[in-house]
Amino acid sequence: MSQKVAVITGASSGIGAASARELAAAGYHVVLGARRMDRLEALASELGGTALHLDVTDKESVAAFVAAIPQCDVLLNNAGGALDLLSVEEGDESNWLRMYEMNVLSTLRVTQGLLPALKASGDGLIITIGSIASFEAYEGGGGYNAAKFAVGALVSVLRKELLGQPVRVTQIDPGMVETEFSVVRLGDQAAADAVYDGMTPLVAQDIAEMVAFVATRPSHVNIDRIVTMPRDQASAKRVHRAG
Ligand code: 8X3
C-alpha cells in the first residue's frame, strides 16, 4: 500500500478514537484495535479504516492482531488505564497486576509484534500514551504510578535501543483528560464527573492533535516527550477549581 498505515490500540473511544480521526485526516489508513467491535467497526467505516479485535492483555489476541497487519508506519500505543485510587497500604494486588498487564505488557507485546513492520517501513514512529503519573507519584496513585513509571522506562530504553534504526519513539504524558478514564478508575459516572468538577479538563481531541503533530514532523525530527495538562492543573493533585 502506498498510503501510510497508522495502528491504534484502544481505538474504540477517548484518546484512541480521536487520534484515529486525526491520523485519518492526516492521510493515514488507520488500523483500529480494541475489544468493543461495534464501536470499532462504526469508526472504521467512518474513516475508511480497518477494525481488528484486540485485547492487549491477551498474548494470543495481540499475536492475531499483529499477524493481520502487513504494513505499519505509525504505532499509537494508547490502550491502558487505571483501576483504583487505593493507597499502597490498602492496595489490591490483583489490580496492581492488571494495571501492569493493561499498561506495560500491552505496550511491550504490541510494540514487539509491530517492530519488524515499523523498521521495514523505513520511517517508523511509535507514540505511546503515558501519563503525568509516569513521572509524578501521588497518594492513591500506587499501582497506576508503578505501571506508568514502567511504561516510561520501556519507552526510554526503546528509544536508545533503536538509535540508528529508522524508527522514532515518542511519549505523550497527559494530565487530566475527560474520557472514560475516570469512570473505569472509580466505577461510576457521578464519581468520575466529580474529578472534573469546577475545572476545565483536556479532552481527547487535544491529545489527538498532539499525536497528529508528532506524526507529521519531518522524519529527522524526534519528539521525545510531551507533557500536557489543562490550564487548571499544575500537578497531579494541584487543581484549580472555580467557586
Ligand atoms: C491520568 C492522569 O493524574 O490521573 O493518567 O494520573 S492522573
Side-chain angles (χ1 to χ4, degrees), residues 7-239:
V7 177
I8 299 133
T9 70
S12 60
S13 65
I15 292 170
S19 298
R21 288 197 171 90
E22 284 300 308
L23 289 168
Y28 287 88
H29 178 84
V30 289
V31 177
L32 314 175
R35 286 171 300 177
R36 293 178 288 190
M37 285 308 285
D38 48 341
R39 289 187 185 212
L40 213 58
E41 271 160 4
L43 185 59
S45 76
E46 175 194 325
L47 302 178
T50 305
L52 296 174
H53 184 267
L54 173 65
D55 176 352
V56 291
T57 67
D58 176 349
K59 227 175 159 169
E60 281 165 22
S61 171
V62 175
F65 178 74
V66 164
I69 300 173
Q71 181 187 337
C72 178
D73 301 272
V74 173
L75 166 61
L76 178 63
N77 284 315
N78 164 71
L83 293 174
D84 62 46
L85 262 175
L86 295 172
S87 66
V88 170
E89 186 173 12
E90 301 286 324
D92 178 324
E93 191 180 316
S94 70
N95 279 359
W96 276 62
L97 203 55
R98 281 172 63 209
M99 285 190 271
Y100 200 82
E101 277 275 350
M102 289 160 63
N103 293 284
V104 189
L105 299 181
S106 61
T107 301
L108 174 68
R109 289 182 187 124
V110 178
T111 302
Q112 281 182 336
L114 289 173
L115 253 179
L118 285 156
K119 286 184 184 175
S121 77
D123 188 14
L125 170 64
I126 301 167
I127 304 173
T128 300
I129 304 298
S131 166
I132 60 167
S134 75
F135 59 86
E136 186 192 348
Y138 57 87
E139 311 91 301
Y144 184 60
N145 274 140
K148 284 295 192 184
F149 270 67
V151 169
L154 184 162
V155 169
S156 179
V157 168
L158 185 66
R159 186 181 303 107
K160 289 171 176 137
E161 289 176 351
L162 290 176
L163 184 65
Q165 302 278 349
V167 183
R168 290 175 286 163
V169 178
T170 298
Q171 179 169 337
I172 300 180
D173 290 323
M176 296 167 85
V177 185
E178 189 166 12
T179 60
E180 292 173 17
F181 177 86
S182 290
V183 182
V184 173
R185 183 179 222 174
L186 302 172
D188 72 90
Q189 190 62 54
D193 290 346
V195 171
Y196 310 108
D197 199 31
M199 58 87 66
T200 305
L202 298 177
V203 293
Q205 180 64 19
D206 297 317
I207 309 304
E209 288 172 16
M210 296 181 206
V211 167
F213 176 79
V214 170
T216 53
R217 292 315 85 206
S219 60
H220 68 286
V221 178
N222 192 90
I223 296 178
D224 286 29
R225 203 158 184 164
I226 295 176
V227 176
T228 178
M229 282 179 267
R231 190 180 66 188
D232 285 339
Q233 184 179 25
S235 71
K237 295 270 178 152
R238 292 196 66 195
V239 178

